[in-house]
Structure formats: structure tokens, C-alpha cells
Amino acid sequence: MTVIDAFVTKVIELSDYTEQDASYLFNRVLALVGEASGNPDSQSKTLIDLKEDLLDLAVANGKVGALIEERDCLGAELMNFITPIPSKVNEYFWKTYEQSPEKAIADFYDLSQKNDYIKLAAIAKNIAFKTPSKYGDLEITINLSKPEKDPKAIAAAKLMKNSSYPQCQLCMENEGYQGRLDHPARANHRIIRLPLGDEEWGFQYSPYAYFNEHSIVLNTQHVPMVISQKTFEQLLDIVDWLPGYFVGSNADLPIVGGSILTHNHYQAGRHVFPMEVAEIIESFTFEGFERVEAGIVNWPMSVLRLTADSKADLVALAEQIRLAWRDYSDSQADIVAYTGDTPHHTITPIARRQHGRFQLDLVLRDNHTSPEHPDGVYHPHADVQHIKKENIGLIEVMGLAILPPRLKDELLEVEKYLLNQYNEIADYHKEWADQLKETHPDVSLENVSEIVHQAVGQTFARVLEDAGVYKNPADFMRFVESIGIVNV
């Protein structure tokens, strides 16, 4: 069977098209990929593989350039054939949701994989492993899913006319957008409209997922990130709307915030992170909130965990804590709320349901800098930046390291160095590697990868300790007591 015929057959099988539409589909695909090189046979079985065959054909026919970004634009358009229009996706979602929220979510997740919006093949390239620590098992991912920019694509993008549409990659206007060299293809992208209080938000999946059912809940308006009482209300509403999901927000300040501070959004999914299973090491009750269980979590970052039956109680207490932390300074613990009028304090909040009850984790963040730590006092310090120097955002806060692609090859050179083989180890790994040599005189070909992986995990634990504003419970409890507690 020819590649176009095979693709059309799969489209009919996986969509609302019927056999009566076969010639129409054939001609529409032919218009996209071209006729010059004919229509060769294909041995591919899946729709996504057939799409790749069609892209090769389109490149050969001169219908699309060979750059990844150019192929992606046409690839998304081809996968749009099996993707219902937004109104139909939303209609089906909410009609199904009335009968079974779990099925509505599962079907939307399935569509987002089936139409190649979620890049499963790319995600599979990531290197992932777990390492034990005194805080529990930490999760490590070396992110290889997002393709690195081709220098030709970068050069070509610079020659393009500047465009501010869509304003960012989280805007609603991305739904159906064709894409260009400097903006991802989104022809097959769909967003579920989600009511949150008096606002309409959107629910979508992340194309390059870092964990199971990694999704984004985004404001339909292009407004900046902000942590407020409304944040807590919305997070707790979302865990009601999306059963089985956690949801959290990056902080809203530079250094301690996420990579996109210009568009208010949350991240959600069906995954149990290491922080979630960490135990409480100090329990107490806040004055006026006797129905809320509260405590400090055994975690390298500074986390208050609140659990209650009532969303209203949790929202009110979380807001009281946020306001107290915003203005709280403690010179003894190097906690600085303001430099002049510049605020340094905010919170990274995470919401979930636990055994039918509502739970909020509030991670205290401080982004002030110093001459000793110009990147941030509570940012990965210089001696661990050879592993992780980027901001510690929501996902890392919860115990999943997203490490840069460079480490794939760099860690192999570290392994060769430990084995006394010829290597091209990066200078910034040398001191760390020498320490590993000293502590692991038994290193061998059989265990070297495990030794390096475990060392990466321990370094990530140190990264999180650097990001934690409190280094001992006594300092942390001074802040807790300043809010007012019933018993210690």
C-alpha cells in the first residue's frame, strides 16, 4: 500500500471520517506533500510513522524544508486530520464528564497522544533514574526530548519578520496555529475550557511531558504569574475538577520562579512525587484554624503542609501564611523580605486530594542575592552548578530533577575519567570527579554508571538544600510561631 493510501486508511480508522471521504483525504494530503516524487509504498504501521514517511516525501518534493521546525509545521497539519475541531473536543469532553470525569480526562489524554501533540517518541529519549537520599528516593531526568535548535534554523529565524502572535506559547491563540521557525507548530493542539470561579481557564497536555499525564492549566488571558488567595482557591478547585491529579504553581518572582512568568498558569498531572510521600517532622495547629492539620515536611526545601476537609479553611490559612511570609525577615537565618521596595518572598504551592481530604503544600521561597551568592542565596550554589544551575521550579521542588541535555555526554566522560580511560572531561566536573575517585576506590566498568548516577542524585539533594530557606527546624519554627500556633 502506498504511503498516502496507508495514511488515509489510518485517518479513517481513527477519526470521524468514513470511506466516502477517502478520495477527498487523499487529495488533501497530496496537496500538502506533493506529487513530484510519486507515492511510494510504505511498511510503516502507525499513523505517526506514516506521518514521518509523508514528511520525507514532502521534503523530497520541495513542499517543506528539511529543518525540524519546518517538518513539525507540516507534521502537525497532517495530524490535524484526526483531531476534531476545538468546539467538538470540548463538547465531547464535557458530555462525557457528566457521566465519568475519569473517562473524559482519559479520552482527552488519549487524543493528545494519538494525534502526536504529546511527543511520545521524543519523550522516550530522556534518561531517567531514581537515587536514594535522606529525604527518600529522588527522581532524575536528563532532558533529551526537546530537539536542540539547528544553527540554520536560528539564522533563518533572525531573518524573519518579527511577530508577537501568539504572545507566548501558553496563549489560547496557539490552538490551531500553523507554527513558524521561532514558534512551535500547534495545528493539532486542543484546549479544554475549564471554569475556575469567575474566570475561564484552559486545560491542555504538555507536548514534552516530564511525568505521567503532565498537563498545563492556563489563564485564557495573557496575564502575569501571581500567587494570591485566588491561586489557592483555583488550585483546590482544579483537584476537584481533575480527580486523581495534583496541581501546583511556580513561584511568581525571578530566580525562584518558572521559565514563563508572563502568563499565569499551573502544572498538573497524575504522578506521586517524592515530596508528596515525605513525612511530617513537626506538627502543630494554627490559632483560629483548629480544623486544619499542619506541619513541617521532612524535605530539603522549606515546606508547610496543610490538610483539611474544608477548602475554605485551607484557603484562608494559606493566605494568612503567604501574607506573613511576604513581610517576614530574620537576620539570624539570613531571611530578607525586601531590598528597598523590591520584594523577595513568595510561595510555591501544590494542591492534591489525600483520602478524600484537601491538602496544600506551601514551599517558602526567597530570591535575594548577596556578593557571595550573586545568582541567589537560595539558588543552586556555584559548586553544584556543574550539574544544575537553572531555576528550581515547581517540578524540581517536588523532587524531580530536570537536568540539561549536555549531561548525557558529559557524564560519560566522567565515567571514563573514573576508569582512568582517555577522556574529555569538562573542567567544571573535575573536582567532583576527583571526590568520586577518592570515595569509590572500587570503581569498575560494571559499577561506574551506578556510582555516577547516585552521585548526581546526591548533588540534586544538595541543590534542593541550597534552595531551602531554612537550614534547621528551630529557625523555621520561629516563623511558624510568628503566625500564631496553639501547641508546639
Side-chain angles (χ1 to χ4, degrees), residues 60-80:
N61 287 338
K63 296 291 284 187
V64 69
L67 295 173
I68 291 174
E69 293 81 2
E70 295 171 301
R71 289 174 62 101
D72 281 350
C73 288
L74 179 55
E77 190 171 357
L78 289 168
M79 299 309 284
N80 194 42

Side-chain angles (χ1 to χ4, degrees), residues 120-172:
L120 295 178
I123 294 165
K125 297 176 183 177
N126 289 341
I127 297 171
F129 53 91
K130 292 185 178 182
T131 60
S133 77
K134 61 183 177 181
Y135 308 104
D137 288 348
L138 300 178
E139 299 174 348
I140 311 295
T141 294
I142 297 176
N143 179 25
L144 304 174
S145 59
K146 290 186 180 179
E148 294 189 39
K149 283 283 186 181
D150 188 315
K152 294 179 182 177
I154 295 172
K158 288 180 179 178
L159 298 175
M160 293 175 58
K161 182 179 178 180
N162 288 337
S163 173
S164 59
Y165 180 87
Q167 286 182 268
C168 78
Q169 293 187 24
L170 293 178
C171 284
M172 295 293 291

Side-chain angles (χ1 to χ4, degrees), residues 328 330 332-333 470-480:
Y328 183 84
D330 183 347
Q332 184 178 334
Y470 286 113
K471 311 306 181 187
N472 67 74
D475 291 338
F476 201 161
M477 282 304 298
R478 275 202 303 278
F479 168 65
V480 170

Side-chain angles (χ1 to χ4, degrees), residues 193-204:
R193 276 55 174 178
L194 187 71
L196 291 179
D198 59 353
E199 296 179 351
E200 182 178 74
W201 283 55
F203 165 56
Q204 66 174 66

Side-chain angles (χ1 to χ4, degrees), residues 27 102 118 199 202 216 225 228 239 244 302 336 401 405 413 426 438:
N27 288 326
E102 291 81 3
I118 299 175
E199 296 179 351
I216 310 295
M225 291 284 295
S228 66
V239 296
S302 305
V336 179
E413 297 303 316
E438 185 176 338

Side-chain angles (χ1 to χ4, degrees), residues 3-4 6-8 10-11 29 33 42 44-59 64 68 70-82 113-122 188:
V3 60
I4 298 181
F7 184 80
V8 167
K10 275 291 181 184
V11 167
V29 173
V33 303
S42 173
S44 296
K45 302 297 184 183
T46 71
L47 185 71
I48 293 173
D49 287 341
L50 288 164
K51 178 259 297 182
E52 292 298 322
D53 291 343
L54 289 175
L55 294 179
D56 291 339
L57 183 59
V59 171
V64 69
I68 291 174
E70 295 171 301
R71 289 174 62 101
D72 281 350
C73 288
L74 179 55
E77 190 171 357
L78 289 168
M79 299 309 284
N80 194 42
F81 280 113
I82 68 157
Q113 295 176 89
K114 187 171 63 177
N115 75 351
D116 200 37
Y117 181 74
I118 299 175
K119 303 295 184 183
L120 295 178
N188 57 338

Side-chain angles (χ1 to χ4, degrees), residues 7-35:
F7 184 80
V8 167
T9 298
K10 275 291 181 184
V11 167
I12 291 171
E13 177 187 326
L14 297 172
S15 71
D16 292 334
Y17 287 110
T18 72
E19 290 295 336
Q20 291 183 347
D21 303 311
S23 293
Y24 163 83
L25 288 168
F26 185 97
N27 288 326
R28 297 321 305 149
V29 173
L30 193 66
L32 293 173
V33 303
E35 303 181 45

Side-chain angles (χ1 to χ4, degrees), residues 5 40 65 105 168 191 222 224-226 257 384 386 472 480:
D5 287 322
I105 294 166
C168 78
I191 305 172
H222 183 74
M225 291 284 295
V226 61
V384 293
H386 65 106
N472 67 74
V480 170

